């Protein structure tokens, strides 16, 4: 019997030609993903489904201890998510405001997702990459660690709000815990927290500050593995397995999906957009 990843690869190949045709009619506003579909298959797979390269090492049959769930949406849903992230006159994507306290946060009616991580983990770069289809949106990318000292709110059309949380660790703001803790605990429309981990160094002691908050408030959260362009396939696999072991044994609220991304090659960015669109109820 064919291994599951072989079946998946073949299915994708068939899907590409079908989706290419439909895309030009249905999603004419999003040229970006149509271009991705023109790439050679191997390159396209690496860009869109970065974990697929490692999938043969991650199948449950060979790793019964591993509860990794690979997020595997259809190319059509990925294309739909890209249109949600594309700024148009009818789909405004804007920076809204910043806040240092929850009671200064904008009162917005949409579901919300937030991004949290150690300073220098690549958070601003990732948010910038997510918003690359809305080039007017200004996301500051620091040269020095620790510049994001406020919660920055961005609205994505009438779909959802995305919040860039202050970085923690080195030179984190003194009131980081007060600010972030209250937000995580009380923001009622918060649908998912994305906790960023650097793929080169893995989970650090300082990450416990965020993990403990998510666990304490029983928040639904997922881990995002940043800067994967810096790691070889072997290093990436090692990190994926280590993080998954940590998720399985040390956490309750962390979801078993892991999102490897690169803000340089854009690997994993389309998939993450799709996941965000999905959990905020925009692909139903
Ligand atoms: P933040 O402090 O978490 O917002 O981190 P930044 O987004 O400012 O990134 C910190 C440093 O890592 C910067 O020098 C970025 O250019 C670099 N960086 C961020 N993302 C990536 C990535 O995906 N790949 C590589 N190679 N470098 C990255």
């Amino acid at each position: 019997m064919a291994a599951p990843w072989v079946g998946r690869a073949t299915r994708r190949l068939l899907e590409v030609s079908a989706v290419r045709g439909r895309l030009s009619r249905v999603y004419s506003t999003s040229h970006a993903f149509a271009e991705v579909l023109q790439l050679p298959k191997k390159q396209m797979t690496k860009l869109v489904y970065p974990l697929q390269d490692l999938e043969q090492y991650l199948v449950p049959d060979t790793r019964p201890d591993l509860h990794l769930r690979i997020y595997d949406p259809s190319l059509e849903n990925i294309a739909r998510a890209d249109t949600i992230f594309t700024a148009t006159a009818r789909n405004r994507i804007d920076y809204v405001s910043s806040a240092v306290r929850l009671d200064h946060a904008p009162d917005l009616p949409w579901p919300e997702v937030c991004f949290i991580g150690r300073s220098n983990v690549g958070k601003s770069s990732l948010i910038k990459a997510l918003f690359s289809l809305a080039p007017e949106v200004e996301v500051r990318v620091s040269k020095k660690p620790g510049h994001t000292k406020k919660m920055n709110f961005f609205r994505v059309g009438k779909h959802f709000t995305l919040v860039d949380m202050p970085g923690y660790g080195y030179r984190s703001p003194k009131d980081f815990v007060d600010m972030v803790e209250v937000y995580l605990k009380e923001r009622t429309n918060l649908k998912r927290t994305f906790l960023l981990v650097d793929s080169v160094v893995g989970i650090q002691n300082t990450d416990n500050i965020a993990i403990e908050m998510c666990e304490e408030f029983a928040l639904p959260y997922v881990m995002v593995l940043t800067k994967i362009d810096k790691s070889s396939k072997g290093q990436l696999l090692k990190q994926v397995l280590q993080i998954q072991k940590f998720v399985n044994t040390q956490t309750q609220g962390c979801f078993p999906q892991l999102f490897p991304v690169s803000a340089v090659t854009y690997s994993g960015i389309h998939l993450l957009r799709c996941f965000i669109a999905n959990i905020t109820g925009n692909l139903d």
Side-chain angles (χ1 to χ4, degrees), residues 118-125 141-142 227 229-230 262-264:
R118 212 164 40 80
S119 298
N120 223 29
V121 72
K123 184 161 51 62
S124 322
S125 305
V141 178
S142 65
K227 308 186 190 178
D229 57 288
K230 285 178 133 184
S262 165
V264 171

Side-chain angles (χ1 to χ4, degrees), residues 81-82 85 129-130 132-133 266 269-277:
D82 261 24
F85 276 88
L130 287 170
S132 62
L133 303 172
Y266 279 62
I269 298 295
H270 296 279
L271 202 62
L272 190 54
R273 283 188 192 132
C274 187
F275 185 70
I276 295 169

Side-chain angles (χ1 to χ4, degrees), residues 56-172:
Q56 58 183 299
Y57 308 102
L58 304 173
V59 284
D61 292 354
T62 55
R63 299 291 314 244
D65 56 323
L66 189 75
H67 305 292
L68 180 69
R69 199 155 348 121
I70 295 183
Y71 182 57
D72 183 34
S74 67
L75 289 169
E76 195 144 8
N77 273 344
I78 295 178
R80 283 175 65 198
D82 261 24
T83 61
I84 290 170
F85 276 88
T86 303
T88 62
R90 286 165 62 185
N91 189 50
R92 281 182 47 208
I93 302 179
D94 292 320
Y95 161 78
V96 179
S97 62
S98 298
V100 289
R101 288 179 15 205
L102 181 60
D103 50 4
H104 294 168
D107 188 13
L108 300 165
W110 307 294
E112 196 155 280
V113 294
C114 77
F115 285 72
I116 186 165
R118 212 164 40 80
S119 298
N120 223 29
V121 72
K123 184 161 51 62
S124 322
S125 305
L126 171 61
I127 294 173
K128 211 169 173 227
L130 287 170
F131 284 149
S132 62
L133 303 172
E136 306 284 295
V137 176
E138 206 181 315
V139 183
R140 284 179 52 198
V141 178
S142 65
K143 297 264 184 301
K144 288 181 288 182
H147 88 276
T148 317
K149 301 196 191 299
K150 293 177 177 172
M151 303 183 274
N152 301 315
F153 292 79
F154 300 88
R155 63 167 271 196
V156 177
K158 293 183 176 152
H159 301 289
F160 59 89
T161 318
L162 187 152
V163 191
D164 180 11
M165 301 297 277
Y168 51 79
Y170 175 70
R171 285 178 62 194
S172 58

